[in-house]
Amino acid sequence: MNSIRTYIVLFFLGLCSQQAYSQTYQFKTSGFSVLEKNERGIWAEWSDLDLVNLSVVLDTNKHRIVVYSQEIQLFKILDYIEREENDTDIVYSFMCKDNDGRDCKLSIITRKKQDYRKQLYINYDDHIIVYNIFSV
């Protein structure tokens, strides 16, 4: 009987510890810009910042990032890249696959010298989308 209680307690402790590490982070966007490669494969200029109010959810339990734009952008997290930090930035990156099965890298960057402003970068081989984001 004691061993059954021990297993039950261990089972619930295991469930609780997994919940502690799985979190959902909610953000709102305030604007976005796009950078594209031209026909010669050279990066052009960033587009003008467009104001946009969208929800972004990082769900580590479901291993995904969702941008709730007019067409929902769903990114399945394949790999969590180790956190990077330097004098100007704190960077959390994720190797992902998007709705269409294309590989991309998403990064949430906190700009230390810009009042800790946050940005979400969605990096593809031929274009980059950046969203200015803030926590909600």
Side-chain angles (χ1 to χ4, degrees):
M1 189 65 143
N2 250 354
S3 64
I4 292 175
R5 284 187 198 166
T6 303
Y7 286 121
I8 291 172
V9 168
L10 288 174
F11 174 75
F12 283 108
L13 284 175
L15 284 178
C16 292
S17 68
Q18 284 185 344
Q19 286 291 350
Y21 292 109
S22 298
Q23 296 184 2
T24 301
Y25 301 90
Q26 306 231 0
F27 303 95
K28 285 285 191 180
T29 66
S30 60
F32 82 99
S33 184
V34 178
L35 177 65
E36 295 180 297
K37 283 186 178 178
N38 64 23
E39 53 281 345
R40 293 187 311 247
I42 299 189
W43 290 106
E45 297 291 320
W46 283 101
S47 67
D48 290 336
L49 184 71
D50 285 331
L51 301 180
V52 63
N53 181 12
L54 306 173
S55 292
V56 176
V57 177
L58 164 59
D59 189 336
T60 60
N61 188 39
K62 294 180 181 177
H63 306 290
R64 68 182 190 183
I65 298 171
V66 183
V67 178
Y68 290 94
S69 54
Q70 186 171 357
E71 185 176 320
I72 293 177
Q73 302 169 62
L74 174 63
F75 301 94
K76 179 180 177 185
I77 299 173
L78 305 174
D79 191 23
Y80 294 80
I81 299 171
E82 188 173 333
R83 176 181 180 253
E84 299 174 38
E85 184 170 356
N86 57 39
D87 290 342
T88 59
D89 299 320
I90 302 169
V91 182
Y92 293 91
S93 294
F94 314 88
M95 295 308 298
C96 299
K97 202 167 273 294
D98 71 7
N99 303 39
D100 299 323
R102 292 182 62 194
D103 291 329
C104 55
K105 178 180 177 182
L106 275 69
S107 298
I108 297 174
I109 301 175
T110 302
R111 306 289 185 187
K112 292 181 184 178
K113 294 186 177 181
Q114 297 177 18
D115 292 327
Y116 289 85
R117 177 171 67 108
K118 289 181 175 32
Q119 295 181 302
L120 170 64
Y121 281 82
I122 304 171
N123 295 280
Y124 290 95
D125 291 335
D126 59 348
H127 69 284
I128 301 170
I129 303 167
V130 63
Y131 290 98
N132 290 328
I133 61 173
F134 57 92
S135 300
V136 291

